[in-house]
Amino acid sequence: AGGGRGQFALSNGLLRVGTGGFTTESVEYRLIFAGGTLSAWGDYAVAVTSEFTGADGAFTIDPAGQTITWQREITGAGGATLQGSGTLLVNASNLYTGTTFVNGATLGGTGSVAGLVQVNAGGTVRPGSVAVPGALQVGQLNAAAGGALSVLANGTGSVLRVTGTDGFTVPAGSASALVHIANATLPVGTFTVVDYAGTVQGGTVANLVIGQKPLRSSMNLVDNPGNTSIDLNIVSTGERIRWTGAADANWNVNTTTNWITDATLQTTAY
């Protein structure tokens, strides 16, 4: 949009945007999202102040395998539902108070979301961007069974900050959420992956299960209540292995578990 003042509102239907994204020369232009679906033809940025006004989940964002980067602030009493595939990056301080349902795709960025983020099965929250670590701040986060947190573990910090007291909830009972380690290579050490306030609600750190990780690395998650954090303790970054031939006589590539790790004595492929 050009200069002047005005607004664009989406309340129903599908709007698919190309690489030009949303831009404006006027600080008085606004985007209002009450419902419908915002999608993508390619990667693009939203560089216009926005407002979410629809009831929680009424407005849907489906990146369709692309990356949508929200660069300007979002206000309003409504929320949004993230679904499909691709990535939504929020890089501003966002004050909208409705719930963000992450049912699919990945929510990331280095900004903040004031309200509740509900991560359901199939959805992922990843602080920072795909390849660059960073801190993402949310008011509350509820990790449902099958929901995932993906982090880059290193000294610069890929951290999810949950600011609301007792605002970090994990599955209870036998259910679990996933923590994926996105590094191709790992340093040995202890790294904070979730910084929360108060105490962990629902279950315990045992209900957070490490999912994807570099092959033959050894690590565990620890609740550090004194520091109000969930920490990733990386013990080794790739144990030495030796041949056993326990499964069969085939020497193949990362297929048959004919090897065993020296330190933990776990069978593995190579």
Side-chain angles (χ1 to χ4, degrees), residues 30-194:
R30 297 180 66 80
L31 303 174
I32 298 176
F33 296 98
T37 299
L38 176 66
S39 190
W41 286 115
D43 297 347
Y44 67 84
V46 181
V48 180
T49 300
S50 306
E51 185 177 357
F52 291 172
T53 62
D56 288 355
F59 168 53
T60 298
I61 302 171
D62 182 355
Q66 310 298 320
T67 297
I68 301 173
T69 303
W70 223 289
Q71 297 176 339
R72 295 289 300 274
E73 64 276 12
I74 307 167
T75 61
T81 297
L82 180 61
Q83 66 180 29
S85 61
T87 302
L88 172 65
L89 299 177
V90 288
N91 289 338
S93 178
N94 297 299
L95 301 177
Y96 69 95
T97 55
T99 300
T100 304
F101 296 94
V102 185
N103 295 342
T106 297
L107 173 66
T110 55
S112 63
V113 175
L116 168 65
V117 175
Q118 170 77 35
V119 190
N120 294 321
T124 301
V125 170
R126 183 172 185 171
S129 63
V130 173
V132 180
L136 177 66
Q137 179 174 300
V138 301
Q140 296 175 276
L141 187 130
N142 184 5
L149 170 66
S150 179
V151 296
L152 286 165
N154 57 32
T156 59
S158 180
V159 181
L160 174 67
R161 303 192 188 283
V162 184
T163 58
T165 301
D166 299 338
F168 181 50
T169 302
V170 301
S174 61
S176 61
L178 299 170
V179 178
H180 297 311
I181 312 304
N183 304 49
T185 59
L186 289 171
V188 172
T190 300
F191 306 93
T192 294
V193 294
V194 180

Side-chain angles (χ1 to χ4, degrees), residues 13-42:
L14 169 66
L15 175 63
R16 185 166 289 172
V17 179
T19 55
F22 292 93
T23 61
T24 181
E25 298 173 4
S26 171
V27 296
E28 298 186 49
Y29 200 90
R30 297 180 66 80
L31 303 174
I32 298 176
F33 296 98
T37 299
L38 176 66
S39 190
W41 286 115

